[in-house]
Short mmCIF file of all heavy atoms in Angstrom, two decimals:
data_model
loop_
_atom_site.label_atom_id
_atom_site.label_comp_id
_atom_site.label_asym_id
_atom_site.label_seq_id
_atom_site.Cartn_x
_atom_site.Cartn_y
_atom_site.Cartn_z
N MET Z 1 112.33 86.63 105.46
CA MET Z 1 112.28 87.60 106.54
C MET Z 1 111.11 87.28 107.47
O MET Z 1 109.99 87.14 107.04
CB MET Z 1 112.09 88.96 105.96
CG MET Z 1 112.37 90.10 106.97
SD MET Z 1 112.16 91.72 106.25
CE MET Z 1 113.60 91.75 105.15
N PRO Z 2 111.41 87.09 108.68
CA PRO Z 2 110.34 86.69 109.68
C PRO Z 2 109.40 87.82 109.95
O PRO Z 2 109.76 88.98 109.86
CB PRO Z 2 111.11 86.31 110.94
CG PRO Z 2 112.37 87.09 110.86
CD PRO Z 2 112.71 87.22 109.37
N VAL Z 3 108.17 87.45 110.26
CA VAL Z 3 107.18 88.46 110.62
C VAL Z 3 106.73 88.15 112.07
O VAL Z 3 106.30 87.07 112.34
CB VAL Z 3 105.96 88.38 109.69
CG1 VAL Z 3 104.89 89.41 110.15
CG2 VAL Z 3 106.38 88.69 108.27
N TYR Z 4 106.86 89.14 112.92
CA TYR Z 4 106.44 88.94 114.27
C TYR Z 4 105.11 89.62 114.52
O TYR Z 4 104.75 90.62 113.90
CB TYR Z 4 107.48 89.60 115.23
CG TYR Z 4 108.80 88.93 115.11
CD1 TYR Z 4 109.95 89.63 114.75
CD2 TYR Z 4 108.96 87.59 115.40
CE1 TYR Z 4 111.17 89.02 114.65
CE2 TYR Z 4 110.21 86.98 115.32
CZ TYR Z 4 111.30 87.67 114.95
OH TYR Z 4 112.53 87.08 114.84
N GLU Z 5 104.34 89.02 115.41
CA GLU Z 5 103.03 89.58 115.73
C GLU Z 5 103.15 90.20 117.12
O GLU Z 5 103.70 89.60 118.02
CB GLU Z 5 102.01 88.45 115.72
CG GLU Z 5 100.59 88.98 115.96
CD GLU Z 5 99.58 87.85 115.82
OE1 GLU Z 5 99.95 86.72 115.65
OE2 GLU Z 5 98.38 88.19 115.95
N TYR Z 6 102.51 91.37 117.24
CA TYR Z 6 102.56 92.04 118.52
C TYR Z 6 101.11 92.37 119.00
O TYR Z 6 100.23 92.47 118.16
CB TYR Z 6 103.35 93.39 118.44
CG TYR Z 6 104.84 93.22 118.17
CD1 TYR Z 6 105.28 93.03 116.86
CD2 TYR Z 6 105.71 93.13 119.26
CE1 TYR Z 6 106.66 92.86 116.61
CE2 TYR Z 6 107.05 92.95 119.00
CZ TYR Z 6 107.50 92.81 117.71
OH TYR Z 6 108.81 92.64 117.46
N ARG Z 7 100.98 92.56 120.26
CA ARG Z 7 99.70 92.89 120.80
C ARG Z 7 99.88 94.07 121.76
O ARG Z 7 100.75 94.13 122.53
CB ARG Z 7 99.11 91.70 121.62
CG ARG Z 7 97.67 91.97 122.10
CD ARG Z 7 97.13 90.76 122.79
NE ARG Z 7 97.86 90.46 123.98
CZ ARG Z 7 97.60 90.96 125.20
NH1 ARG Z 7 96.61 91.85 125.32
NH2 ARG Z 7 98.29 90.65 126.25
N CYS Z 8 98.94 95.02 121.61
CA CYS Z 8 99.00 96.25 122.41
C CYS Z 8 98.33 95.96 123.77
O CYS Z 8 97.22 95.48 123.80
CB CYS Z 8 98.35 97.41 121.72
SG CYS Z 8 98.31 98.88 122.72
N LYS Z 9 99.05 96.28 124.83
CA LYS Z 9 98.44 96.00 126.18
C LYS Z 9 97.44 97.14 126.52
O LYS Z 9 96.65 96.96 127.43
CB LYS Z 9 99.55 96.05 127.22
CG LYS Z 9 100.54 94.85 127.06
CD LYS Z 9 101.58 94.90 128.12
CE LYS Z 9 102.59 93.79 127.93
NZ LYS Z 9 103.72 93.85 128.91
N GLN Z 10 97.48 98.25 125.78
CA GLN Z 10 96.61 99.35 126.07
C GLN Z 10 95.22 99.15 125.45
O GLN Z 10 94.21 99.17 126.10
CB GLN Z 10 97.24 100.63 125.60
CG GLN Z 10 98.40 101.08 126.46
CD GLN Z 10 98.01 101.57 127.80
OE1 GLN Z 10 96.98 102.20 127.98
NE2 GLN Z 10 98.80 101.22 128.80
N CYS Z 11 95.25 98.90 124.13
CA CYS Z 11 93.97 98.84 123.42
C CYS Z 11 93.74 97.43 122.88
O CYS Z 11 92.65 97.18 122.33
CB CYS Z 11 93.96 99.89 122.27
SG CYS Z 11 95.07 99.51 120.89
N GLY Z 12 94.68 96.58 123.02
CA GLY Z 12 94.45 95.20 122.62
C GLY Z 12 94.57 94.93 121.13
O GLY Z 12 94.31 93.87 120.64
N ALA Z 13 95.01 95.95 120.41
CA ALA Z 13 95.15 95.81 118.95
C ALA Z 13 96.31 94.86 118.66
O ALA Z 13 97.33 94.83 119.34
CB ALA Z 13 95.45 97.17 118.34
N ARG Z 14 96.14 94.13 117.58
CA ARG Z 14 97.21 93.22 117.13
C ARG Z 14 97.74 93.78 115.81
O ARG Z 14 97.00 94.24 114.97
CB ARG Z 14 96.69 91.79 116.92
CG ARG Z 14 96.49 91.06 118.25
CD ARG Z 14 95.83 89.73 117.98
NE ARG Z 14 95.83 88.92 119.17
CZ ARG Z 14 96.47 87.75 119.28
NH1 ARG Z 14 97.16 87.29 118.30
NH2 ARG Z 14 96.40 87.04 120.36
N PHE Z 15 99.03 93.63 115.69
CA PHE Z 15 99.67 94.12 114.42
C PHE Z 15 100.93 93.33 114.19
O PHE Z 15 101.50 92.72 115.10
CB PHE Z 15 99.93 95.60 114.51
CG PHE Z 15 100.86 96.02 115.64
CD1 PHE Z 15 102.23 96.16 115.40
CD2 PHE Z 15 100.36 96.19 116.91
CE1 PHE Z 15 103.07 96.55 116.48
CE2 PHE Z 15 101.16 96.54 117.96
CZ PHE Z 15 102.54 96.72 117.75
N GLU Z 16 101.32 93.30 112.94
CA GLU Z 16 102.49 92.55 112.54
C GLU Z 16 103.63 93.46 112.17
O GLU Z 16 103.40 94.60 111.73
CB GLU Z 16 102.17 91.57 111.42
CG GLU Z 16 101.21 90.51 111.83
CD GLU Z 16 100.86 89.61 110.61
OE1 GLU Z 16 101.15 89.98 109.48
OE2 GLU Z 16 100.33 88.53 110.85
N ARG Z 17 104.81 92.94 112.29
CA ARG Z 17 105.97 93.76 111.91
C ARG Z 17 107.08 92.88 111.42
O ARG Z 17 107.41 91.92 112.07
CB ARG Z 17 106.39 94.51 113.18
CG ARG Z 17 107.62 95.45 112.90
CD ARG Z 17 108.09 96.10 114.22
NE ARG Z 17 109.29 96.84 114.06
CZ ARG Z 17 109.34 98.15 113.72
NH1 ARG Z 17 108.25 98.80 113.54
NH2 ARG Z 17 110.47 98.73 113.56
N ARG Z 18 107.54 93.24 110.27
CA ARG Z 18 108.69 92.49 109.72
C ARG Z 18 109.94 92.80 110.44
O ARG Z 18 110.18 93.91 110.83
CB ARG Z 18 108.82 92.76 108.22
CG ARG Z 18 108.01 91.79 107.36
CD ARG Z 18 108.35 91.99 105.91
NE ARG Z 18 107.59 93.13 105.40
CZ ARG Z 18 106.45 93.01 104.76
NH1 ARG Z 18 105.93 91.84 104.54
NH2 ARG Z 18 105.77 94.07 104.29
N ALA Z 19 110.74 91.86 110.64
CA ALA Z 19 112.00 92.08 111.31
C ALA Z 19 113.18 91.47 110.55
O ALA Z 19 113.00 90.36 109.99
CB ALA Z 19 112.00 91.45 112.73
N SER Z 20 114.25 92.19 110.54
CA SER Z 20 115.42 91.62 109.82
C SER Z 20 116.10 90.68 110.73
O SER Z 20 115.75 90.50 111.90
CB SER Z 20 116.35 92.78 109.47
OG SER Z 20 116.97 93.29 110.63
N VAL Z 21 117.09 90.00 110.21
CA VAL Z 21 117.83 89.02 111.01
C VAL Z 21 118.47 89.72 112.21
O VAL Z 21 118.58 89.18 113.31
CB VAL Z 21 118.89 88.33 110.20
CG1 VAL Z 21 119.70 87.40 111.07
CG2 VAL Z 21 118.23 87.57 109.04
N HIS Z 22 118.92 90.97 112.03
CA HIS Z 22 119.56 91.69 113.11
C HIS Z 22 118.58 92.07 114.15
O HIS Z 22 118.84 92.00 115.34
CB HIS Z 22 120.29 92.91 112.54
CG HIS Z 22 121.34 92.57 111.52
ND1 HIS Z 22 122.53 91.90 111.86
CD2 HIS Z 22 121.40 92.78 110.22
CE1 HIS Z 22 123.21 91.70 110.78
NE2 HIS Z 22 122.60 92.27 109.75
N GLU Z 23 117.40 92.53 113.74
CA GLU Z 23 116.39 92.93 114.69
C GLU Z 23 115.92 91.76 115.53
O GLU Z 23 115.31 91.93 116.55
CB GLU Z 23 115.24 93.60 113.96
CG GLU Z 23 115.57 95.00 113.44
CD GLU Z 23 114.46 95.57 112.60
OE1 GLU Z 23 113.81 94.79 111.88
OE2 GLU Z 23 114.23 96.77 112.68
N HIS Z 24 116.12 90.58 114.99
CA HIS Z 24 115.64 89.39 115.61
C HIS Z 24 116.25 89.30 117.06
O HIS Z 24 115.67 88.76 117.98
CB HIS Z 24 116.02 88.15 114.81
CG HIS Z 24 115.67 86.88 115.49
ND1 HIS Z 24 114.38 86.42 115.59
CD2 HIS Z 24 116.44 85.96 116.12
CE1 HIS Z 24 114.41 85.25 116.27
NE2 HIS Z 24 115.65 84.98 116.53
N GLU Z 25 117.45 89.84 117.16
CA GLU Z 25 118.15 89.68 118.45
C GLU Z 25 117.68 90.77 119.40
O GLU Z 25 117.98 90.69 120.60
CB GLU Z 25 119.66 89.78 118.21
CG GLU Z 25 120.20 88.68 117.32
CD GLU Z 25 119.95 87.31 117.91
OE1 GLU Z 25 119.88 87.21 119.12
OE2 GLU Z 25 119.82 86.37 117.15
N GLU Z 26 117.02 91.78 118.92
CA GLU Z 26 116.63 92.83 119.83
C GLU Z 26 115.26 92.52 120.46
O GLU Z 26 114.50 91.70 119.97
CB GLU Z 26 116.48 94.16 119.00
CG GLU Z 26 117.78 94.58 118.42
CD GLU Z 26 117.67 95.90 117.67
OE1 GLU Z 26 116.61 96.58 117.85
OE2 GLU Z 26 118.60 96.26 116.97
N THR Z 27 115.03 93.14 121.58
CA THR Z 27 113.85 92.80 122.34
C THR Z 27 112.90 93.99 122.41
O THR Z 27 111.84 93.87 123.02
CB THR Z 27 114.21 92.40 123.79
OG1 THR Z 27 114.99 93.46 124.40
CG2 THR Z 27 115.01 91.09 123.81
N LYS Z 28 113.22 95.08 121.81
CA LYS Z 28 112.35 96.22 121.90
C LYS Z 28 111.14 96.05 121.05
O LYS Z 28 111.18 95.57 119.91
CB LYS Z 28 113.12 97.51 121.47
CG LYS Z 28 113.46 97.54 119.98
CD LYS Z 28 114.16 98.85 119.63
CE LYS Z 28 114.47 98.88 118.15
NZ LYS Z 28 115.10 100.12 117.81
N GLU Z 29 110.02 96.41 121.57
CA GLU Z 29 108.78 96.29 120.87
C GLU Z 29 108.42 97.58 120.17
O GLU Z 29 108.71 98.64 120.68
CB GLU Z 29 107.62 95.88 121.78
CG GLU Z 29 107.58 94.42 122.14
CD GLU Z 29 108.65 94.04 123.14
OE1 GLU Z 29 109.05 94.91 123.93
OE2 GLU Z 29 109.09 92.87 123.16
N PRO Z 30 107.81 97.48 119.01
CA PRO Z 30 107.36 98.68 118.30
C PRO Z 30 106.15 99.24 118.94
O PRO Z 30 105.36 98.53 119.59
CB PRO Z 30 107.09 98.11 116.87
CG PRO Z 30 106.68 96.69 117.11
CD PRO Z 30 107.48 96.22 118.32
N PRO Z 31 105.94 100.54 118.78
CA PRO Z 31 104.73 101.16 119.37
C PRO Z 31 103.48 100.74 118.62
O PRO Z 31 103.51 100.34 117.48
CB PRO Z 31 105.02 102.67 119.23
CG PRO Z 31 105.92 102.75 118.06
CD PRO Z 31 106.74 101.49 118.11
N CYS Z 32 102.35 100.83 119.33
CA CYS Z 32 101.10 100.44 118.75
C CYS Z 32 100.70 101.45 117.63
O CYS Z 32 100.78 102.63 117.86
CB CYS Z 32 100.03 100.49 119.84
SG CYS Z 32 98.37 100.19 119.23
N PRO Z 33 100.35 100.89 116.48
CA PRO Z 33 99.99 101.76 115.35
C PRO Z 33 98.59 102.42 115.56
O PRO Z 33 98.26 103.37 114.86
CB PRO Z 33 99.94 100.82 114.14
CG PRO Z 33 99.68 99.47 114.76
CD PRO Z 33 100.31 99.50 116.15
N GLN Z 34 97.80 101.93 116.50
CA GLN Z 34 96.47 102.45 116.73
C GLN Z 34 96.47 103.57 117.77
O GLN Z 34 95.93 104.60 117.51
CB GLN Z 34 95.53 101.30 117.16
CG GLN Z 34 95.05 100.47 115.95
CD GLN Z 34 93.73 99.81 116.28
OE1 GLN Z 34 93.02 100.23 117.21
NE2 GLN Z 34 93.39 98.84 115.51
N CYS Z 35 97.06 103.25 118.94
CA CYS Z 35 97.02 104.29 120.01
C CYS Z 35 98.38 104.86 120.33
O CYS Z 35 98.51 105.77 121.08
CB CYS Z 35 96.37 103.67 121.26
SG CYS Z 35 97.40 102.42 122.06
N GLY Z 36 99.40 104.34 119.68
CA GLY Z 36 100.72 104.89 119.85
C GLY Z 36 101.38 104.51 121.14
O GLY Z 36 102.50 104.96 121.47
N SER Z 37 100.75 103.62 121.91
CA SER Z 37 101.33 103.19 123.17
C SER Z 37 102.55 102.29 122.95
O SER Z 37 102.64 101.52 122.04
CB SER Z 37 100.26 102.43 123.97
OG SER Z 37 100.88 101.80 125.09
N GLY Z 38 103.49 102.45 123.87
CA GLY Z 38 104.68 101.61 123.80
C GLY Z 38 104.53 100.31 124.58
O GLY Z 38 105.38 99.48 124.61
N GLN Z 39 103.32 100.20 125.16
CA GLN Z 39 103.07 98.95 125.99
C GLN Z 39 102.60 97.81 125.06
O GLN Z 39 101.46 97.41 125.08
CB GLN Z 39 101.95 99.28 127.03
CG GLN Z 39 102.32 100.34 127.99
CD GLN Z 39 103.32 99.88 129.03
OE1 GLN Z 39 103.51 98.70 129.19
NE2 GLN Z 39 103.93 100.82 129.71
N THR Z 40 103.54 97.32 124.29
CA THR Z 40 103.22 96.21 123.41
C THR Z 40 104.08 94.99 123.76
O THR Z 40 105.12 95.15 124.33
CB THR Z 40 103.45 96.61 121.96
OG1 THR Z 40 104.81 97.00 121.78
CG2 THR Z 40 102.54 97.74 121.53
N GLU Z 41 103.58 93.86 123.42
CA GLU Z 41 104.36 92.67 123.65
C GLU Z 41 104.28 91.74 122.44
O GLU Z 41 103.31 91.72 121.74
CB GLU Z 41 103.78 91.90 124.88
CG GLU Z 41 102.33 91.48 124.73
CD GLU Z 41 101.82 90.76 125.95
OE1 GLU Z 41 102.59 90.68 126.93
OE2 GLU Z 41 100.64 90.39 125.94
N ARG Z 42 105.28 90.97 122.28
CA ARG Z 42 105.33 90.11 121.12
C ARG Z 42 104.42 88.88 121.37
O ARG Z 42 104.38 88.34 122.44
CB ARG Z 42 106.77 89.66 120.86
CG ARG Z 42 106.86 88.82 119.57
CD ARG Z 42 108.22 88.29 119.44
NE ARG Z 42 109.26 89.31 119.22
CZ ARG Z 42 110.55 88.99 119.14
NH1 ARG Z 42 110.96 87.77 119.17
NH2 ARG Z 42 111.38 89.99 118.92
N VAL Z 43 103.71 88.56 120.33
CA VAL Z 43 102.87 87.35 120.43
C VAL Z 43 103.48 86.30 119.52
O VAL Z 43 103.63 86.50 118.32
CB VAL Z 43 101.42 87.64 119.92
CG1 VAL Z 43 100.57 86.39 119.99
CG2 VAL Z 43 100.81 88.77 120.75
N TRP Z 44 103.88 85.23 120.13
CA TRP Z 44 104.51 84.17 119.36
C TRP Z 44 103.49 83.46 118.53
O TRP Z 44 102.42 83.05 118.97
CB TRP Z 44 105.23 83.17 120.28
CG TRP Z 44 106.30 83.81 120.99
CD1 TRP Z 44 106.30 84.28 122.30
CD2 TRP Z 44 107.63 84.12 120.50
NE1 TRP Z 44 107.54 84.82 122.61
CE2 TRP Z 44 108.35 84.75 121.54
CE3 TRP Z 44 108.21 83.96 119.23
CZ2 TRP Z 44 109.65 85.22 121.35
CZ3 TRP Z 44 109.55 84.36 119.07
CH2 TRP Z 44 110.22 84.98 120.14
N SER Z 45 103.80 83.35 117.28
CA SER Z 45 102.89 82.70 116.33
C SER Z 45 102.67 81.21 116.67
O SER Z 45 103.53 80.61 117.33
CB SER Z 45 103.41 82.83 114.89
OG SER Z 45 104.52 82.01 114.70
N ARG Z 46 101.62 80.71 116.19
CA ARG Z 46 101.27 79.29 116.51
C ARG Z 46 102.27 78.39 115.85
O ARG Z 46 102.60 77.32 116.40
CB ARG Z 46 99.86 78.99 116.03
CG ARG Z 46 98.81 79.50 116.98
CD ARG Z 46 97.45 79.35 116.33
NE ARG Z 46 97.29 80.34 115.20
CZ ARG Z 46 96.12 80.60 114.64
NH1 ARG Z 46 95.05 79.98 115.07
NH2 ARG Z 46 96.00 81.46 113.72
N VAL Z 47 102.82 78.78 114.76
CA VAL Z 47 103.76 77.97 114.07
C VAL Z 47 105.00 77.84 114.91
O VAL Z 47 105.63 76.78 115.00
CB VAL Z 47 104.12 78.55 112.70
CG1 VAL Z 47 105.23 77.73 112.01
CG2 VAL Z 47 102.91 78.56 111.82
N ALA Z 48 105.42 78.97 115.55
CA ALA Z 48 106.65 78.92 116.32
C ALA Z 48 106.38 78.20 117.64
O ALA Z 48 107.30 77.57 118.14
CB ALA Z 48 107.06 80.35 116.63
N VAL Z 49 105.19 78.26 118.18
CA VAL Z 49 104.93 77.65 119.49
C VAL Z 49 104.83 76.19 119.35
O VAL Z 49 105.24 75.43 120.18
CB VAL Z 49 103.64 78.25 120.05
CG1 VAL Z 49 103.20 77.48 121.30
CG2 VAL Z 49 103.83 79.73 120.42
N LEU Z 50 104.18 75.73 118.29
CA LEU Z 50 103.95 74.32 118.14
C LEU Z 50 105.28 73.54 118.09
O LEU Z 50 106.20 73.80 117.43
CB LEU Z 50 103.21 74.07 116.78
CG LEU Z 50 101.70 74.14 116.88
CD1 LEU Z 50 101.11 73.88 115.50
CD2 LEU Z 50 101.22 73.09 117.87
N ALA Z 51 105.22 72.43 118.87
CA ALA Z 51 106.35 71.55 118.86
C ALA Z 51 105.89 70.18 118.36
O ALA Z 51 104.83 69.72 118.67
CB ALA Z 51 106.91 71.41 120.32
N GLY Z 52 106.63 69.60 117.52
CA GLY Z 52 106.28 68.30 117.02
C GLY Z 52 106.32 68.24 115.48
O GLY Z 52 106.19 67.20 114.92
N GLY Z 53 106.55 69.39 114.85
CA GLY Z 53 106.82 69.35 113.41
C GLY Z 53 105.56 69.67 112.55
O GLY Z 53 105.70 70.05 111.44
N ARG Z 54 104.39 69.56 113.17
CA ARG Z 54 103.18 69.83 112.37
C ARG Z 54 103.04 71.33 112.19
O ARG Z 54 103.26 72.10 113.08
CB ARG Z 54 101.99 69.26 113.08
CG ARG Z 54 101.75 67.80 112.73
CD ARG Z 54 100.61 67.23 113.51
NE ARG Z 54 99.48 68.10 113.50
CZ ARG Z 54 98.49 68.08 114.42
NH1 ARG Z 54 98.53 67.20 115.42
NH2 ARG Z 54 97.48 68.93 114.38
N GLN Z 55 102.61 71.69 111.03
CA GLN Z 55 102.44 73.14 110.74
C GLN Z 55 100.97 73.38 110.33
O GLN Z 55 100.56 72.97 109.24
CB GLN Z 55 103.35 73.63 109.66
CG GLN Z 55 104.82 73.54 110.11
CD GLN Z 55 105.70 74.47 109.28
OE1 GLN Z 55 105.21 75.01 108.30
NE2 GLN Z 55 106.90 74.70 109.72
N PRO Z 56 100.19 74.03 111.17
CA PRO Z 56 98.82 74.35 110.83
C PRO Z 56 98.74 75.44 109.82
O PRO Z 56 99.76 76.14 109.61
CB PRO Z 56 98.20 74.81 112.17
CG PRO Z 56 99.38 75.34 112.94
CD PRO Z 56 100.57 74.53 112.51
N SER Z 57 97.61 75.58 109.19
CA SER Z 57 97.49 76.60 108.20
C SER Z 57 97.26 77.94 108.90
O SER Z 57 96.18 78.52 108.86
CB SER Z 57 96.32 76.27 107.28
OG SER Z 57 95.16 76.04 108.05
N SER Z 58 98.29 78.43 109.55
CA SER Z 58 98.14 79.66 110.33
C SER Z 58 97.86 80.86 109.45
O SER Z 58 97.25 81.80 109.87
CB SER Z 58 99.44 79.86 111.13
OG SER Z 58 100.54 80.00 110.28
N THR Z 59 98.33 80.80 108.21
CA THR Z 59 98.10 81.91 107.32
C THR Z 59 96.65 82.15 107.00
O THR Z 59 96.19 83.22 106.67
CB THR Z 59 98.88 81.73 106.02
OG1 THR Z 59 98.50 80.52 105.47
CG2 THR Z 59 100.38 81.79 106.25
N GLN Z 60 95.84 81.07 107.20
CA GLN Z 60 94.43 81.20 106.91
C GLN Z 60 93.63 81.35 108.23
O GLN Z 60 92.41 81.41 108.20
CB GLN Z 60 93.93 79.97 106.12
CG GLN Z 60 94.66 79.87 104.77
CD GLN Z 60 94.10 78.70 104.01
OE1 GLN Z 60 93.11 78.10 104.35
NE2 GLN Z 60 94.73 78.38 102.88
N GLY Z 61 94.33 81.41 109.36
CA GLY Z 61 93.65 81.62 110.59
C GLY Z 61 92.67 80.48 110.94
O GLY Z 61 91.59 80.67 111.42
N GLY Z 62 93.11 79.24 110.72
CA GLY Z 62 92.27 78.11 110.98
C GLY Z 62 92.05 77.90 112.47
O GLY Z 62 92.58 78.63 113.29
N GLY Z 63 91.23 76.97 112.76
CA GLY Z 63 90.82 76.71 114.17
C GLY Z 63 91.90 75.93 114.96
O GLY Z 63 91.70 75.66 116.12
N CYS Z 64 92.96 75.57 114.32
CA CYS Z 64 93.96 74.76 114.98
C CYS Z 64 94.80 75.66 115.86
O CYS Z 64 95.47 76.54 115.43
CB CYS Z 64 94.86 74.12 113.91
SG CYS Z 64 95.18 72.37 114.27
N GLY Z 65 94.81 75.39 117.15
CA GLY Z 65 95.56 76.21 118.09
C GLY Z 65 96.67 75.41 118.75
O GLY Z 65 96.82 74.26 118.50
N PRO Z 66 97.42 76.08 119.64
CA PRO Z 66 98.52 75.46 120.36
C PRO Z 66 98.05 74.25 121.20
O PRO Z 66 98.82 73.32 121.45
CB PRO Z 66 99.07 76.53 121.26
CG PRO Z 66 98.62 77.85 120.65
CD PRO Z 66 97.29 77.51 120.01
N ALA Z 67 96.80 74.26 121.66
CA ALA Z 67 96.34 73.22 122.50
C ALA Z 67 95.82 72.04 121.65
O ALA Z 67 95.30 71.10 122.19
CB ALA Z 67 95.15 73.75 123.38
N CYS Z 68 95.98 72.14 120.40
CA CYS Z 68 95.49 71.13 119.49
C CYS Z 68 96.20 69.80 119.71
O CYS Z 68 97.38 69.75 119.84
CB CYS Z 68 95.79 71.59 118.05
SG CYS Z 68 94.55 71.03 116.95
N GLY Z 69 95.45 68.73 119.86
CA GLY Z 69 96.06 67.43 120.12
C GLY Z 69 95.96 66.48 118.88
O GLY Z 69 95.59 66.93 117.84
N PRO Z 70 96.39 65.29 119.13
CA PRO Z 70 96.34 64.31 118.03
C PRO Z 70 94.95 64.08 117.50
O PRO Z 70 94.80 63.66 116.34
CB PRO Z 70 96.88 63.05 118.75
CG PRO Z 70 97.61 63.49 119.96
CD PRO Z 70 96.94 64.73 120.38
N GLY Z 71 93.96 64.34 118.34
CA GLY Z 71 92.59 64.08 117.88
C GLY Z 71 92.05 65.17 116.96
O GLY Z 71 90.95 65.03 116.43
N CYS Z 72 92.80 66.25 116.78
CA CYS Z 72 92.31 67.30 115.90
C CYS Z 72 92.26 66.85 114.48
O CYS Z 72 93.20 66.26 113.96
CB CYS Z 72 93.25 68.52 116.06
SG CYS Z 72 92.74 69.85 114.96
N GLY Z 73 91.17 67.10 113.83
CA GLY Z 73 91.01 66.71 112.45
C GLY Z 73 91.29 67.83 111.50
O GLY Z 73 90.84 67.84 110.38
N ASN Z 74 92.04 68.77 111.98
CA ASN Z 74 92.31 69.94 111.17
C ASN Z 74 93.60 69.85 110.34
O ASN Z 74 94.11 70.82 109.87
CB ASN Z 74 92.37 71.20 112.04
CG ASN Z 74 92.07 72.44 111.25
OD1 ASN Z 74 91.44 72.37 110.20
ND2 ASN Z 74 92.46 73.61 111.76
N LEU Z 75 94.07 68.64 110.24
CA LEU Z 75 95.33 68.46 109.45
C LEU Z 75 95.07 68.83 108.03
O LEU Z 75 94.05 68.45 107.43
CB LEU Z 75 95.78 67.00 109.59
CG LEU Z 75 96.71 66.73 110.76
CD1 LEU Z 75 96.96 65.25 110.85
CD2 LEU Z 75 98.03 67.48 110.61
N ALA Z 76 96.04 69.46 107.43
CA ALA Z 76 95.88 69.90 106.04
C ALA Z 76 96.08 68.67 105.14
O ALA Z 76 96.94 67.86 105.45
CB ALA Z 76 96.87 70.97 105.71
ZN1 ZN J 1 97.20 100.26 121.23
#
């Protein structure tokens, strides 16, 4: 089951939300759990954004970002 990350445009809080395969096709964002605002947007995870097959240790919040190039020594 995929987990999507969202960011609140009001208070900047980030939160995750599990989505089923069916919800995957929907575009509605969940409300912010902190301020209740509906002004949230999905934040694409680094794993999803990365192209090229490499998978950084995103679960550990490493320093490897989307702008990471071949010179990055953060390979697992
Ligand atoms: Zn908020």
